[in-house]
Amino acid sequence: MMRIDLAQLSAFAAVVEEGSFEAAARRLHVTPSAVSQRVKALESRLGRVLVSRTRPAGATEAGQWLARYARQVRLLESEALSGLASGDVEVRLAVAVNADSLATWFLPALTGLADERGARFELHQEDQDHSATLLREGAVLAAVTADAHAVQGCAVRPLGRMRYLGVATPAFARRWFPDGPTAAALGAATTLVFNRKDALQSRFARELAGRRVDPPVTVLPSSVGFADATILGLAWAMLPESMARPALDDGRLVEIAPGRHLDVPLYWQRWKLASPLLDELTDAVVAAASAQLRAAKP
Amino acid sequence: MMRIDLAQLSAFAAVVEEGSFEAAARRLHVTPSAVSQRVKALESRLGRVLVSRTRPAGATEAGQWLARYARQVRLLESEALSGLASGDVEVRLAVAVNADSLATWFLPALTGLADERGARFELHQEDQDHSATLLREGAVLAAVTADAHAVQGCAVRPLGRMRYLGVATPAFARRWFPDGPTAAALGAATTLVFNRKDALQSRFARELAGRRVDPPVTVLPSSVGFADATILGLAWAMLPESMARPALDDGRLVEIAPGRHLDVPLYWQRWKLASPLLDELTDAVVAAASAQLRAAKP
């Protein structure tokens, strides 16, 4: 088996994670030229360019598998050391989380690990396609995603369903849906989309209309921005019910189709890696999800 | 002068904006094969590949200048038509906005245009480096950015200063800053960064410590997530004062260095294009900024 020099490996990993040779050098308390030499030595050893010399620097395609390996080694090493010493962990747990989970139920799941273990995190706010890529590349250890299909090397478990309600201000609903959410009205009233892949609003519109409708859209890549913009009357939108509830209760928002909703099942994908930290994180995430999400369908 | 066929140009622009030939076809009410033929005809006319056949599809480097031209043509055409007819606009105003502005003062600036002109928007949540690229490529017409340097073809004006305060929960401050924000404490207490380029926290830490410190960080790419995570006690962070104020007033947060702050000047960059819509948007943004931000330094 080919042995990889650990000093070279950690120089490589630091450059990829920090985004530059200078920042990697600061983290490792060595000079940038030492980092550069180690990375070059590793590249010539493996016969591949591993780091793209861009701003920020990143792993090349060949480097991505090595970055995954480096993260695994570092997590295990950090846990081994913390078993010997202080209990503090020296690693950032990298997790991808879909935007609506990040804006609603996810963050409280991290408080225990942060308080008791001193854990730090690297959160990626990503859509589900990108989450699978991040897991495969090893850029994250785990992900909250709507994708039930296990990424190779990962275990997947259901977290529950996030319920979305179609909401608007009373004034918006009166102006645009005087006869309710008809196909014609849905084809004319502005709705929000998070990005070009966000199909939630058009899926709901199609279910209400009984046929495909293409509502005019405002593109707004921010979960909390969705709630703000809807409350400002810019558009109707699908909001997670926990986010919509306060404004529904005090009358700033109304449902455009009371009694109708969309449920999005969410899953936890994590590397199959014998890591107590990742186990603890999994337990905390599953507990937070079961308290805040609707139960997964059996 | 070379004449560009407008049907070909709008097919090209629709593919780039919608991200696929199918979605472009739906928008233009033609078949995907008609869209494909028009794009190919334009490409052979100009002798360049203009669309990258990826998912989502996008403009190639050669295509980006054409995309900018197409947006200008469409904005002017839409305004010319609305002068003749209903007053409704058929175009999405594309604007890049830094995340903290989007989470605080920016969205209310859009309500007038949305209500009275039926305007729709395509908002990009971007850091300042990327905003300059989006302006240059013509992917956006205007941007709220911390970059005072005018992008070529754009006019720039100051909007005011966003003030940031260093905050934490009282329990976090007691645990990590028992003797105040000393250099040693700042080097040990977890802080938040939005992404790897976010230097606000380390700038503030350096000013407080009087020397460079590298605080351990949790990476959290969400403005409102910053406030949530800080209130949960995960870390200390720099929050826009308007976002921190409610939690400071009710005691959930305290300032880690009372009386100290960082001010970030913000600017409005917009294309130099004779467009009444863009003028209206500019007026609304400048008015919202002057109500919500601190006055720009003279």
Side-chain angles (χ1 to χ4, degrees):
Chain A
M1 185 189 149
M2 177 182 246
R3 286 300 179 104
I4 292 174
D5 180 295
L6 281 181
Q8 291 172 6
L9 184 67
S10 54
F12 160 75
V15 171
V16 170
E17 287 165 27
E18 302 293 332
S20 74
F21 286 78
E22 294 72 27
R26 280 198 299 276
R27 188 170 101 188
L28 301 173
H29 305 291
V30 299
T31 63
S33 114
V35 173
S36 171
Q37 279 165 21
R38 288 176 199 175
V39 170
K40 277 184 202 148
L42 186 60
E43 287 179 326
S44 63
R45 175 106 178 74
L46 300 178
R48 296 287 185 89
V49 177
L50 302 168
V51 172
S52 65
R53 269 69 170 180
T54 47
R55 296 210 149 256
T60 61
E61 218 177 312
Q64 280 162 0
W65 289 95
L66 195 67
R68 174 169 176 160
Y69 169 72
R71 280 201 188 245
Q72 292 179 321
V73 168
R74 201 141 52 84
L75 179 65
L76 297 173
E77 178 198 65
S78 162
E79 291 185 322
L81 290 176
S82 77
L84 298 173
S86 71
D88 267 15
V89 289
E90 293 288 333
V91 73
R92 267 184 241 153
L93 287 165
V95 182
V97 186
N98 70 310
D100 285 335
S101 291
L102 197 57
T104 53
W105 63 272
F106 183 79
L107 285 175
L110 306 182
T111 52
L113 275 169
D115 279 354
E116 289 149 35
R117 305 288 299 272
R120 279 111 197 189
F121 304 92
E122 182 177 322
L123 301 177
H124 295 250
Q125 180 180 294
E126 297 293 352
D127 58 55
Q128 65 208 64
D129 297 349
H130 204 168
S131 288
T133 309
L134 292 172
L135 281 166
R136 249 192 310 269
E137 290 172 356
V140 299
L141 294 162
V144 174
T145 164
D147 188 358
H149 183 74
V151 170
Q152 203 196 344
C154 291
V156 59
R157 61 189 284 178
L159 287 172
R161 289 170 294 138
M162 185 169 269
R163 175 154 298 179
Y164 288 84
L165 304 175
V167 294
T169 60
F172 188 95
R174 272 195 305 276
R175 175 173 173 187
W176 292 98
F177 302 121
D179 306 313
T182 61
L186 288 164
T190 304
T191 188
L192 300 179
V193 296
F194 194 83
N195 56 32
R196 291 188 295 196
K197 285 189 277 186
D198 175 12
L200 216 52
Q201 279 68 216
S202 64
R203 227 177 93 199
F204 193 61
R206 188 174 59 229
E207 286 194 10
L208 296 180
R211 64 174 172 82
R212 182 185 182 95
V213 282
D214 282 314
V217 299
T218 274
V219 184
L220 178 54
S222 156
S223 270
V224 178
F226 258 50
D228 291 345
T230 309
I231 290 169
L232 284 167
L234 284 171
W236 73 271
M238 302 300 290
L239 296 186
E241 62 178 342
S242 66
M243 207 182 260
R245 188 54 60 201
L248 286 169
D249 286 345
D250 66 20
R252 283 173 296 162
L253 292 179
V254 294
E255 291 187 55
I256 66 165
R260 304 291 294 269
H261 61 259
L262 285 181
D263 282 352
V264 174
L266 294 176
Y267 302 89
W268 178 245
Q269 300 229 14
R270 58 159 283 184
W271 284 359
K272 290 180 194 156
L273 184 69
S275 154
L277 256 187
L278 193 48
D279 292 344
E280 265 186 68
L281 178 64
T282 298
D283 292 344
V285 168
V286 168
S290 76
Q292 298 296 324
L293 299 176
R294 289 173 178 262
K297 289 230 168 101
Chain B
M1 186 189 150
M2 178 181 244
R3 285 301 178 104
I4 292 175
D5 180 297
L6 281 181
Q8 292 172 5
L9 184 67
S10 55
F12 159 76
V15 170
V16 170
E17 287 164 27
E18 302 294 331
S20 74
F21 285 79
E22 295 71 26
R26 280 198 300 277
R27 188 171 103 187
L28 300 174
H29 306 290
V30 298
T31 63
S33 114
V35 173
S36 171
Q37 279 165 21
R38 288 176 199 175
V39 170
K40 277 184 201 146
L42 187 59
E43 287 179 325
S44 62
R45 176 104 177 76
L46 301 178
R48 297 286 185 90
V49 176
L50 302 168
V51 172
S52 65
R53 269 70 170 181
T54 48
R55 295 211 148 257
T60 61
E61 218 177 311
Q64 280 164 359
W65 289 94
L66 195 66
R68 174 171 175 158
Y69 169 71
R71 279 201 190 245
Q72 292 179 321
V73 168
R74 201 142 53 83
L75 178 64
L76 296 175
E77 177 198 66
S78 161
E79 290 185 322
L81 289 175
S82 77
L84 296 173
S86 70
D88 266 16
V89 290
E90 293 288 333
V91 74
R92 268 186 240 153
L93 287 166
V95 182
V97 186
N98 69 310
D100 285 336
S101 291
L102 197 58
T104 53
W105 62 272
F106 184 79
L107 284 175
L110 305 182
T111 51
L113 275 169
D115 280 353
E116 288 149 35
R117 305 288 300 268
R120 280 110 197 191
F121 304 92
E122 183 177 323
L123 302 177
H124 295 251
Q125 180 180 294
E126 298 293 352
D127 58 57
Q128 64 208 65
D129 296 350
H130 204 168
S131 289
T133 310
L134 292 172
L135 281 166
R136 251 193 307 272
E137 291 172 356
V140 299
L141 294 160
V144 175
T145 166
D147 188 358
H149 184 74
V151 169
Q152 203 197 341
C154 291
V156 59
R157 60 191 286 178
L159 287 172
R161 289 170 295 139
M162 184 169 270
R163 173 155 298 179
Y164 289 83
L165 304 175
V167 294
T169 61
F172 189 95
R174 272 194 305 275
R175 175 172 174 188
W176 293 97
F177 302 120
D179 305 314
T182 61
L186 287 164
T190 304
T191 189
L192 300 178
V193 296
F194 193 83
N195 57 32
R196 292 187 295 195
K197 285 189 277 184
D198 175 13
L200 215 52
Q201 278 69 216
S202 63
R203 228 177 93 198
F204 193 61
R206 189 174 60 229
E207 287 193 10
L208 296 180
R211 64 174 173 83
R212 185 185 180 95
V213 283
D214 282 314
V217 299
T218 274
V219 184
L220 178 54
S222 155
S223 269
V224 177
F226 257 50
D228 292 344
T230 309
I231 289 169
L232 284 166
L234 284 171
W236 73 271
M238 302 299 291
L239 296 186
E241 62 178 341
S242 65
M243 209 182 258
R245 188 54 60 199
L248 286 170
D249 286 344
D250 66 20
R252 284 174 295 162
L253 292 180
V254 294
E255 291 186 55
I256 65 165
R260 305 290 295 267
H261 60 260
L262 284 181
D263 283 351
V264 174
L266 295 175
Y267 301 89
W268 178 245
Q269 300 229 14
R270 57 159 285 185
W271 285 358
K272 288 181 197 158
L273 185 68
S275 153
L277 256 187
L278 193 48
D279 292 345
E280 265 185 66
L281 178 63
T282 298
D283 291 344
V285 168
V286 168
S290 75
Q292 299 295 324
L293 299 176
R294 287 172 182 263
K297 290 230 168 103

